[in-house]
Amino acid sequence: MTARLYVCSGLDPDTPDTAFVVLVVDPDGTPAERAVAALGSYCYEGDGAVYLVRTDGWAERSLRDGWLTVDVAVRPEALRQVGVDPLGFPGRSAVDPQALLVLSARTTADPAPSAHLAEPTAVFVAGPGVPLDDLVDAEDEWPMVLAPPPART
């Protein structure tokens, strides 16, 4: 099983029609999924979510030919902090070659609405049998929020 990627609305009660990219990783899944799941303990809490500091990791997104791809890039130091060996991830970020590509997921996406997605990517940690609606509706399931990549310097 690999990470599941969705585009959905209803995550933000203040803007219920805003579409978000949602990634669901299995804490017992692939090494990439386990690494992303582990990052949740390295985040800071606030407003019903946990946030990974953009200088430690981010979500790189691209939309081409009806496919939305999300790549999770993380700095080696952040991976070490959660007990993940960075050597297991040889891929490099296109934005910052010092950051490692830890996970890549893709899904089909309608180009029109997908061009107007909210900037952050929400990440939920759950096994493959847990439906997305259950995660979104659960008050005790806080998503990890990944910002877009930092600006190139």
Side-chain angles (χ1 to χ4, degrees), residues 55-71:
T55 55
D56 291 330
W58 54 85
E60 299 176 9
R61 301 190 316 213
S62 65
L63 181 64
R64 286 191 194 105
D65 300 324
W67 288 96
L68 174 66
T69 302
V70 173
D71 295 323

Side-chain angles (χ1 to χ4, degrees), residues 56-122:
D56 291 330
W58 54 85
E60 299 176 9
R61 301 190 316 213
S62 65
L63 181 64
R64 286 191 194 105
D65 300 324
W67 288 96
L68 174 66
T69 302
V70 173
D71 295 323
V72 177
V74 182
R75 294 203 181 272
E77 301 80 24
L79 290 172
R80 284 188 202 96
Q81 287 294 319
V82 296
V84 174
D85 184 358
L87 294 177
F89 303 98
R92 298 294 176 160
S93 164
V95 174
D96 181 347
Q98 293 182 8
L100 306 175
L101 287 181
V102 174
L103 182 142
S104 185
R106 66 187 238 170
T107 189
T108 57
D110 183 347
S114 297
H116 304 287
L117 294 170
E119 282 195 351
T121 297

